Amino acid sequence: MFPISVRRQFSVLSHLRIDARWFYAVDVPISKPEQFKYTQTKPPQKFLPFSDSDNSLLEESFKDGDKTVLQVLEDRLFNCDIKSMQLYPIYWQGPVYEVRRGIWFSNGTPIDQRLGELIEKQYQALKDKLGKEEGQVVFELDDKTLELSPITKSEDLTTTIAETFSSSESQSPKKLVLFKDEKTVFILPKSSKLMIQMLNPLTDELKKSIFSDYKIERGYKAKDKEKALAEKGSSSAFGDFSFINFFTDTAIDKNAKSDKAEEKMEYHMKNDFAKEDKDTKRDINHIVLCCHGIGQSLGTKLESVNFIHDINIFRKGLATALKEDSELQEMSPSANNHGIQVLPVIWRYNLGFSIDEPISVEDQNDGVKTLPSVSDITVDALRPLRNLLGNVVLDVLLYYDSWYKKRILSSVVQQCNDVYDKFLLNNPGWNGKVSLVGHSLGSAIFFDILCKQPDNLNFEDPNFDHKRYLKFKVENYFALGSPLGVFSLLKRQNIAPRSKENSVSVNDIDKEVLDRPCVGPKCENLYNIFHPCDSIGYRVEPLIRSEFTKFKPSPVPFANKSGFDSQLKEITDFGDEFGDKLTNNISKLFGNKSIGELLLLDSKKPETEKNLPNSPKESTKKSSSSKSTTVDISAESLKVIRQLNYSGRVDYCLSEGLFDISIINAIKAHTTYFENKDLTAFVLRELLSPKSKARLVSKSAVLMTPGEDDNEWL
């Protein structure tokens, strides 16, 4: 109704002593990144109060006028510009939300900023008169000019009321502003004859209950704050995402105008970033940058596809893992703060390729020519499904087109460096560690970036190419649900630690480096983590040393030893009559698979063990609890793989749930890594643990055995 000027000057009320309360919108943003093609069509209706600490910071800066942009919300991830009254993320592209400095409230919600300042200015001039018999004052409000014209005579009031409610829609609508007392004002629009009668000075006292929707009150009440915080997280807008929704055209909401889209945005803002009053700025000593995989272009059409939200879940999961694990607390700098900040890197929005837009190419003879869009060449039959595949699978094809691959690598490197620079700017003197997490195709992107990173790179060089190389050392690299193994296999490429044979310099050509028969990522520790049901995740250890082909991946331990899965493990290990009966019953239910096999706990039936070949060169060890067969890893293989990961292993497998059936769970397994508690606790443990390559963790591995393949499940 009253647009906010981006460059307007400070309020004339900044010098007044007012107990103001600051709010930010959570449902309808002012703007979104260009790729969303979003236009605001209505003002926001739902606002959330800033925490007490943020509120004090904003109010103090507002009055002093020294600083106009402040870091707010959880972990100070957002900037609040008190000059433009806007809230926006610092480290990634995202929606911009309206901010209000609330003085006058309607049902606990601050009214429009400019209108509120206008009412407050008039209130300051009238406050000595209000509350007295002659204190009721009525003004005429013009929405366009935002001017208040006093009405002093009853005749003028009657005339103005008649004009107001008889004005045509084409004329500027007028409202009546009634200052009732020291805390109450009524803003009355065009309405019924009853309202006219109630406003007549000759009628009985105005009944507040009748006009509650038109009443505004001065000051923020404690009960309103409690109500707002109680509603935080109550929305049911966010739920399990169903790929079935993709198959209907109604699921694609290009402008995010639907109520469901707004509810999801509201849910994310309330639950992902709202800061508790007791929260303070955390000390950060480790940054983790996360790169998304395929299908993120759907995020411009579906609020359900939201990598920012995935990373927020991951960030909160790290905090939860620390809270629930005393061992992690001992490793952490503080029992309440692990010192790790997780930030997203989104490359798809900047790629400039959409299935709905024509492709422009330069031709030496014809100049710039236009090719049809993917939608133009899409067959009409099953178009929604084809559009889905186009938005998702096309990302892989783009990455393996040399022109687009170069752009993607450059975009990701530049964004990582930009995030790093912004963090240094907001944290002067910071000298911590940086790790990377890549999911799906994002893992292959990060891997290629690390493989072409030179060995002796001078980050302080004035000619440093920030679009080509990372400007920081990478401590750990976690690949989640990664197709890296099969990509490398198709390229006939091995993976090895950095050495003189596969060293990289700034003079090398990136494409030639990435096409070498053997490549090595420039990082201290490499982790390849996958879920057994994830059909996109592949192993990489056999590409490092062929000996690891016969070894199982290292299991990711359970996050909570008292959890349901751990109880099942204890039952299978216990081996009593009850455990045997439970094992037999569940084995029948799941096609004669044992619980140990289902949970990847390396349990094998006795008859399977009898068929294992015994090699005199292998030092065989049989665990009494899991009945699995382990062998020593050769010294030569250990020497190689320990240069890629201090633990002596690179492949790590998450535990399969008891009721996870591969063919059904495949899609979910690939899309829920950041929600997995076992993975979150494992990553936190590895980030916090003191890593020493002189200390070997894994000297042996569990053998793969006949019948290990899960094809019989399909």
Side-chain angles (χ1 to χ4, degrees):
M1 180 171 62
F2 301 104
I4 297 176
S5 173
V6 176
R7 295 294 181 186
R8 68 179 177 80
Q9 299 298 318
F10 280 116
S11 167
V12 295
L13 303 174
S14 60
H15 66 284
L16 297 175
R17 295 183 179 275
I18 304 170
D19 293 330
R21 187 78 200 190
W22 290 76
F23 287 75
Y24 59 97
V26 295
D27 56 345
V28 180
I30 297 172
S31 64
K32 290 185 179 182
E34 181 181 356
Q35 299 81 4
F36 286 78
K37 299 180 180 179
Y38 168 85
T39 301
Q40 184 181 7
T41 58
K42 61 181 181 180
Q45 301 296 322
K46 298 182 180 180
F47 289 80
L48 200 66
F50 284 95
S51 67
D52 289 345
S53 57
D54 282 347
N55 189 80
S56 299
L57 181 69
L58 292 169
E59 185 64 12
E60 182 179 351
S61 298
F62 180 84
K63 291 178 178 179
D64 295 342
D66 296 334
K67 192 174 182 180
T68 61
V69 179
L70 300 103
Q71 299 171 34
V72 294
L73 299 188
E74 183 185 6
D75 276 355
R76 310 291 175 90
L77 294 175
F78 281 73
N79 274 336
C80 180
D81 189 332
I82 59 178
K83 192 173 183 179
S84 65
M85 301 300 280
Q86 294 182 349
L87 178 77
Y88 53 90
I90 299 175
Y91 300 105
W92 63 87
Q93 289 183 318
V96 177
Y97 287 91
E98 180 182 341
V99 173
R100 291 183 182 178
R101 180 176 180 261
I103 301 173
W104 291 90
F105 297 84
S106 174
N107 296 320
T109 300
I111 65 173
D112 179 89
Q113 189 68 32
R114 292 177 63 192
L115 177 60
E117 292 177 355
L118 183 67
I119 298 296
E120 177 63 19
K121 182 179 179 180
Q122 193 62 58
Y123 164 82
Q124 292 294 330
L126 297 173
K127 62 181 180 180
D128 294 335
K129 299 180 181 180
L130 297 176
K132 301 177 181 179
E133 292 185 2
E134 69 278 7
Q136 288 192 20
V137 183
V138 181
F139 289 82
E140 180 183 273
L141 172 66
D142 190 310
D143 280 2
K144 284 190 174 181
T145 62
L146 273 186
E147 293 180 352
L148 287 175
S149 303
I151 302 174
T152 56
K153 299 179 181 179
S154 59
E155 294 83 2
D156 294 338
L157 175 61
T158 305
T159 302
T160 302
I161 291 174
E163 291 177 352
T164 299
F165 297 114
S166 63
S167 60
S168 64
E169 294 296 329
S170 61
Q171 295 175 331
S172 175
K174 296 182 179 180
K175 294 182 174 63
L176 296 178
V177 179
L178 170 63
F179 286 82
K180 183 69 175 62
D181 52 40
E182 298 94 333
K183 294 184 178 180
T184 309
V185 171
F186 289 90
I187 302 179
L188 304 169
K190 292 186 294 184
S191 187
S192 62
K193 294 181 179 180
L194 173 63
M195 186 175 293
I196 299 175
Q197 185 179 7
M198 296 295 291
L199 276 173
N200 194 303
L202 301 178
T203 62
D204 295 335
E205 182 181 357
L206 187 63
K207 297 180 180 179
K208 296 181 180 180
S209 59
I210 298 179
F211 299 104
S212 59
D213 290 340
Y214 305 102
K215 180 178 69 173
I216 61 174
E217 295 180 294
R218 192 173 190 272
Y220 188 56
K221 299 179 180 179
K223 65 178 183 179
D224 291 329
K225 177 183 176 182
E226 294 174 0
K227 179 181 178 182
L229 295 178
E231 291 177 351
K232 174 179 172 285
S234 62
S235 172
S236 60
F238 179 78
D240 291 336
F241 176 68
S242 173
F243 277 82
I244 297 176
N245 293 336
F246 276 133
F247 302 146
T248 61
D249 286 324
T250 56
I252 305 298
D253 182 10
K254 293 184 178 180
N255 293 320
K257 294 180 180 178
S258 69
D259 292 339
K260 184 172 290 188
E262 291 177 5
E263 289 175 2
K264 287 184 180 294
M265 295 184 69
E266 177 187 349
Y267 180 92
H268 294 163
M269 285 299 295
K270 283 184 176 181
N271 293 273
D272 289 353
F273 303 112
K275 186 172 73 171
E276 303 295 337
D277 288 339
K278 62 182 179 180
D279 287 350
T280 57
K281 185 176 182 180
R282 296 193 301 126
D283 292 329
I284 303 299
N285 52 43
H286 205 139
I287 304 174
V288 179
L289 303 180
C290 304
C291 183
H292 66 80
I294 60 176
Q296 197 60 34
S297 59
L298 286 169
T300 62
K301 305 173 183 178
L302 292 169
E303 289 298 330
S304 302
V305 182
N306 190 332
F307 187 64
I308 304 299
H309 179 64
D310 293 339
I311 299 308
N312 293 333
I313 291 177
F314 187 42
R315 184 186 301 110
K316 291 180 180 295
L318 292 174
T320 301
L322 178 66
K323 182 179 179 181
E324 296 178 350
D325 194 320
S326 58
E327 293 182 5
L328 290 176
Q329 293 174 12
E330 293 178 0
M331 300 167 63
S332 175
S334 166
N336 299 318
N337 176 26
H338 46 58
I340 299 167
Q341 183 58 276
V342 184
L343 299 171
V345 175
I346 301 180
W347 55 268
R348 187 59 178 86
Y349 296 162
N350 297 329
L351 190 56
F353 187 97
S354 171
I355 65 171
D356 301 317
E357 296 179 357
I359 301 174
S360 298
V361 295
E362 294 185 4
D363 187 276
Q364 294 181 350
N365 299 323
D366 302 331
V368 178
K369 65 178 182 179
T370 301
L371 298 177
S373 67
V374 175
S375 294
D376 293 335
I377 62 174
T378 300
V379 179
D380 287 336
L382 297 177
R383 178 172 284 270
L385 176 58
R386 294 177 188 272
N387 287 339
L388 165 64
L389 296 176
N391 277 291
V392 176
V393 180
L394 195 61
D395 289 349
V396 179
L397 301 180
L398 289 175
Y399 188 64
Y400 280 91
D401 174 87
S402 58
W403 189 82
Y404 279 106
K405 181 174 184 176
K406 184 177 180 180
R407 292 189 61 186
I408 292 172
L409 292 177
S410 177
S411 175
V412 173
V413 169
Q414 186 174 2
Q415 287 188 64
C416 288
N417 289 334
D418 287 346
V419 171
Y420 182 74
D421 286 339
K422 289 177 181 178
F423 191 86
L424 293 182
L425 180 64
N426 293 323
N427 299 271
W430 187 82
N431 189 28
K433 298 178 180 179
V434 181
S435 292
L436 304 179
V437 173
H439 174 239
S440 188
L441 180 61
S443 66
I445 295 173
F446 265 160
F447 184 80
D448 284 345
I449 290 173
L450 292 174
C451 286
K452 69 184 186 69
Q453 187 83 352
D455 291 293
N456 299 312
L457 196 58
N458 182 9
F459 300 132
E460 305 299 328
D461 188 342
N463 297 320
F464 183 87
D465 191 346
H466 70 282
K467 293 184 179 181
R468 186 181 178 189
Y469 302 126
L470 298 175
K471 61 193 313 180
F472 47 81
K473 176 184 175 182
V474 176
E475 185 72 13
N476 307 285
Y477 172 46
F478 299 89
L480 310 181
S482 176
L484 175 61
V486 71
F487 285 176
S488 298
L489 188 63
L490 293 175
K491 293 168 66 176
R492 300 173 178 83
Q493 195 172 66
N494 284 107
I495 298 173
R498 283 292 177 93
S499 63
K500 293 182 179 180
E501 289 73 20
N502 66 347
S503 62
V504 180
S505 72
V506 293
N507 297 321
D508 291 329
I509 299 174
D510 290 351
K511 187 178 185 305
E512 293 181 356
V513 172
L514 297 179
D515 288 340
R516 289 176 178 177
C518 186
V519 294
K522 185 64 176 175
C523 62
E524 291 298 312
N525 295 284
L526 170 65
Y527 299 84
N528 180 50
I529 308 172
F530 52 88
H531 191 284
C533 292
D534 183 2
S535 58
I536 298 178
Y538 287 83
R539 297 190 61 187
V540 300
E541 284 180 345
L543 294 168
I544 301 170
R545 296 285 294 183
S546 59
E547 177 183 355
F548 281 88
T549 304
K550 62 183 180 181
F551 299 148
K552 287 185 178 182
S554 183
V556 173
F558 291 114
N560 188 352
K561 294 181 180 179
S562 62
F564 176 71
D565 286 333
S566 296
Q567 293 177 11
L568 289 174
K569 179 181 183 298
E570 292 173 3
I571 291 175
T572 59
D573 291 344
F574 191 70
D576 60 7
E577 183 178 359
F578 173 77
D580 291 338
K581 288 182 179 180
L582 181 61
T583 301
N584 292 334
N585 290 335
I586 296 181
S587 296
K588 292 178 181 179
L589 180 63
F590 288 91
N592 294 323
K593 289 282 184 179
S594 69
I595 295 180
E597 287 175 303
L598 292 172
L599 296 177
L600 295 182
L601 299 176
D602 310 322
S603 295
K604 289 298 163 187
K605 299 178 182 179
E607 56 267 27
T608 304
E609 291 181 359
K610 293 178 182 178
N611 295 329
L612 284 176
N614 292 321
S615 171
K617 296 181 180 180
E618 295 175 347
S619 174
T620 304
K621 305 172 185 178
K622 295 186 178 181
S623 170
S624 59
S625 61
S626 64
K627 300 180 181 180
S628 58
T629 302
T630 62
V631 297
D632 289 338
I633 302 173
S634 67
E636 185 178 356
S637 293
L638 280 176
K639 181 180 179 181
V640 172
I641 204 163
R642 284 176 57 194
Q643 296 179 62
L644 287 168
N645 191 300
Y646 81 103
S647 70
R649 297 303 301 268
V650 170
D651 286 342
Y652 289 87
C653 187
L654 293 166
S655 297
E656 187 176 4
L658 177 61
F659 299 106
D660 285 347
I661 301 177
S662 301
I663 195 169
I664 298 176
N665 203 47
I667 295 178
K668 182 180 179 182
H670 185 69
T671 58
T672 56
Y673 280 98
F674 294 107
E675 303 173 22
N676 190 292
K677 293 184 178 181
D678 295 339
L679 180 138
T680 303
F682 175 77
V683 170
L684 180 58
R685 186 178 300 275
E686 294 303 307
L687 292 174
L688 293 176
S689 63
K691 299 176 177 62
S692 172
K693 294 194 176 182
R695 177 174 64 90
L696 183 62
V697 175
S698 300
K699 291 185 178 180
S700 60
V702 179
L703 276 176
M704 300 285 280
T705 58
E708 197 78 23
D709 199 338
D710 281 344
N711 287 338
E712 60 191 82
W713 285 63
L714 302 178

